[in-house]
Amino acid sequence: MALAPDFKTQLAVLKRGVAEIVPEEDFERKLKRSIQQRKPLKVKLGMDPTAPDIHLGHTVALRKLRQFQDLGHQVILIIGDFTGRIGDPSGRSETRPQLSEEQIAENASTYRQQVFKILDPQRTTIVYNSQWLAKLNFADVLRLASKYTVARMLERDDFSKRFQDGLPIGLHEFFYPLMQGYDSVALNCDIEMGGTDQKFNLLVGRELQREYGQEPQVAMMMPILEGTDGVHKMSKSLGNYIGINEPPAEIYGKTMSIPDELIVRYFELVTSVPPGEIVALEEGLARGLVNPRDAKMRLARELVKDFHGAEAAQAAEDEFVRIFRHKELPSSLPEAVIDPKELREGKIWLPRLLLLAGLVTSTSEGKRLVSQGGVKVDGVPVRDPELEVEVADGMVLQAGKRRFAQIKLRS
């Protein structure tokens, strides 16, 4: 594909929304050379498949990659099936548990399916870093380890803090930045994308490329997206995430739950809404001319449309309005079949019923949800976690704001 000829246009598009570029002058030089020589930049992003789902936090960098693609550049997505066995220690206060090869392989297969909701499959090369890392023998590993010092490793905030606090640091964790850096050597890329929490790892890649006689890559870092709690980085382990593969109603409902102060940030980082419209929206919110609820509804529509299509977005909005504005039940309720053998004299412990209906993952979660007032039985709030509820065909359970189940007794 021919590259867009206008350097200023490309520069403006590619720098928009970026937190930091190191070094910025190298990026501009590489981009100019790319246009002059009509040779696409090689831009890579590594993703460790440590969980089965891609969430909105991941899409911040993926959207920037799509912009590179639309301007004619080459995108290489590295699925870290080898680095994922260690797990990135960035920002960690403790050593990660190592995943099995089977877990990594299963998660990696879902990543391949989900990334193409954003990236153009015709302009994306997917590689696995086991292709080169698994081939290194022990002598190769020692040679790689000699390129970096322990003192440099301890410059990382998380390693330094754990060391000062007397917390364990596994030797294998020092190899994570080296392995990620070696990815850059193996692919000889021009630019590596990552979040701001990846800065140390990305700069290690620059150093290793220089050590191996290559022109160092540019590190392009994207902002970290806060989760639906508005405080912590979006993470499945914290439960504050919006998965791009989740059902439309779930994406819509979760989006409506974000704090008002994150509305503009989400528009900027995870939608394709033009910058001018976002500026107008921000001004409208600040002056009280735009209702935050209406802004979030548009945001939710945009996200569902991106991942499930316009028709699904409208259906999700209609469902949301029906349930939360008009206090009605969803138009279709998932059915939960209960074996009568689970009942004693027609009754069952409510947290157990929630578990059997698939509305919670454990009875302890069910107890907590009931105690917090997050459970309704046939529309009536229940707060007694020890309640034995009488089960009848057709009764409706609600857990939280968006999870429903209609009970059917197995005959």
Side-chain angles (χ1 to χ4, degrees):
M1 171 174 285
L3 291 167
D6 186 347
F7 168 74
K8 287 186 177 179
T9 299
Q10 287 209 41
L11 189 65
V13 169
L14 295 175
K15 288 179 68 175
R16 186 167 62 234
V18 174
E20 187 178 5
I21 300 175
V22 180
E24 197 160 334
E25 59 272 18
D26 278 11
F27 174 62
E28 295 190 12
R29 178 178 55 79
K30 285 175 181 278
L31 184 58
K32 283 180 180 176
R33 184 177 65 194
S34 164
I35 293 171
Q36 289 166 357
Q37 298 180 357
R38 303 187 66 77
K39 182 181 178 182
L41 292 169
K42 289 172 68 176
V43 188
K44 81 176 179 80
L45 170 71
M47 298 181 72
D48 286 347
T50 51
D53 298 317
I54 291 176
H55 56 61
L56 284 186
H58 298 120
T59 70
V60 176
L62 290 171
R63 285 182 179 278
K64 183 57 65 177
L65 287 182
R66 180 57 190 256
Q67 291 176 355
F68 272 102
Q69 289 182 324
D70 291 343
L71 291 170
H73 298 288
Q74 179 186 356
V75 163
I76 302 174
L77 183 69
I78 302 174
I79 294 183
D81 60 330
F82 206 89
T83 43
R85 297 178 198 177
I86 293 179
D88 186 3
S90 296
R92 302 281 296 188
S93 59
E94 57 186 16
T95 302
R96 279 182 182 273
Q98 294 187 50
L99 299 181
S100 68
E101 290 186 37
E102 292 75 18
Q103 288 172 300
I104 291 290
E106 186 176 339
N107 293 344
S109 67
T110 67
Y111 275 33
R112 287 187 67 102
Q113 300 162 11
Q114 295 174 52
V115 293
F116 293 128
K117 288 179 178 283
I118 297 171
L119 298 180
D120 182 345
Q122 302 303 317
R123 290 177 279 173
T124 305
T125 300
I126 293 184
V127 294
Y128 293 79
N129 61 11
S130 60
Q131 293 171 14
W132 49 86
L133 291 175
K135 293 177 181 177
L136 298 179
N137 60 34
F138 200 68
D140 296 326
V141 173
L142 290 175
R143 198 157 32 245
L144 176 60
S146 72
K147 306 292 185 184
Y148 230 74
T149 66
V150 171
R152 291 294 304 277
M153 284 293 180
L154 289 176
E155 289 175 6
R156 274 181 54 144
D157 289 342
D158 42 15
F159 284 156
S160 175
K161 189 172 189 312
R162 284 159 65 183
F163 183 72
Q164 291 170 6
D165 293 346
L167 298 173
I169 304 172
L171 281 177
H172 69 291
E173 294 183 87
F174 281 169
F175 278 93
Y176 188 92
L178 292 176
M179 292 161 70
Q180 182 172 328
Y182 193 77
D183 290 348
S184 298
V185 173
L187 295 172
N188 195 10
C189 286
D190 298 299
I191 297 169
E192 181 171 16
M193 299 281 305
T196 52
D197 58 346
Q198 290 290 305
K199 183 174 181 177
F200 184 92
N201 295 343
L202 270 56
L203 296 182
V204 170
R206 279 178 55 82
E207 293 297 320
L208 290 183
Q209 283 181 304
R210 189 179 287 111
E211 289 282 342
Y212 282 87
Q214 298 178 4
E215 180 181 288
Q217 67 186 15
V218 169
M220 180 176 278
M221 287 150 280
M222 301 300 295
I224 299 298
L225 184 71
E226 296 86 351
T228 54
D229 58 359
V231 179
H232 302 288
K233 172 183 175 180
M234 186 172 284
S235 164
K236 187 165 187 181
S237 62
L238 294 176
N240 65 352
Y241 72 103
I242 301 174
I244 70 172
N245 229 25
E246 291 190 273
E250 195 73 7
I251 294 176
Y252 195 101
K254 285 185 175 182
T255 303
M256 292 300 295
S257 73
I258 69 170
D260 292 353
E261 57 268 23
L262 285 183
I263 293 173
V264 174
R265 186 166 173 81
Y266 269 56
F267 268 105
E268 289 175 337
L269 295 181
V270 295
T271 76
S272 301
V273 173
E277 290 186 36
I278 297 175
V279 170
L281 175 70
E282 185 173 20
E283 291 175 353
L285 287 167
R287 295 169 59 189
L289 302 176
V290 176
N291 188 313
R293 181 200 62 210
D294 296 336
K296 280 194 271 192
M297 288 180 76
R298 182 183 176 186
L299 175 62
R301 280 198 309 273
E302 293 286 342
L303 293 174
V304 177
K305 182 179 69 175
D306 281 349
F307 303 127
H308 292 285
E311 189 175 328
Q314 188 59 56
E317 180 161 293
D318 292 344
E319 191 84 337
F320 182 85
V321 170
R322 182 184 301 113
I323 297 170
F324 295 101
R325 192 176 292 177
H326 303 311
K327 307 298 182 183
E328 298 176 10
L329 291 174
S331 54
S332 62
L333 290 169
E335 193 173 74
V337 179
I338 304 297
D339 190 333
K341 293 179 181 177
E342 294 282 348
L343 310 181
R344 295 181 59 185
E345 298 180 355
K347 293 185 177 182
I348 189 173
W349 182 38
L350 181 54
R352 173 68 179 166
L353 181 60
L354 293 170
L355 177 64
L356 293 174
L359 296 176
V360 295
T361 57
S362 66
T363 54
S364 58
E365 181 190 351
K367 286 182 67 174
R368 184 168 61 254
L369 199 60
V370 173
S371 298
Q372 293 169 348
V375 173
K376 292 181 181 179
V377 177
D378 283 334
V380 179
V382 179
R383 287 185 174 274
D384 180 4
E386 302 303 327
L387 178 68
E388 295 280 331
V389 64
E390 190 165 346
V391 179
D393 253 336
M395 68 186 296
V396 176
L397 297 179
Q398 180 180 350
K401 292 182 178 180
R402 296 178 295 275
R403 287 171 287 167
F404 293 84
Q406 188 164 35
I407 302 301
K408 179 175 175 58
L409 288 171
R410 183 178 295 156
S411 56

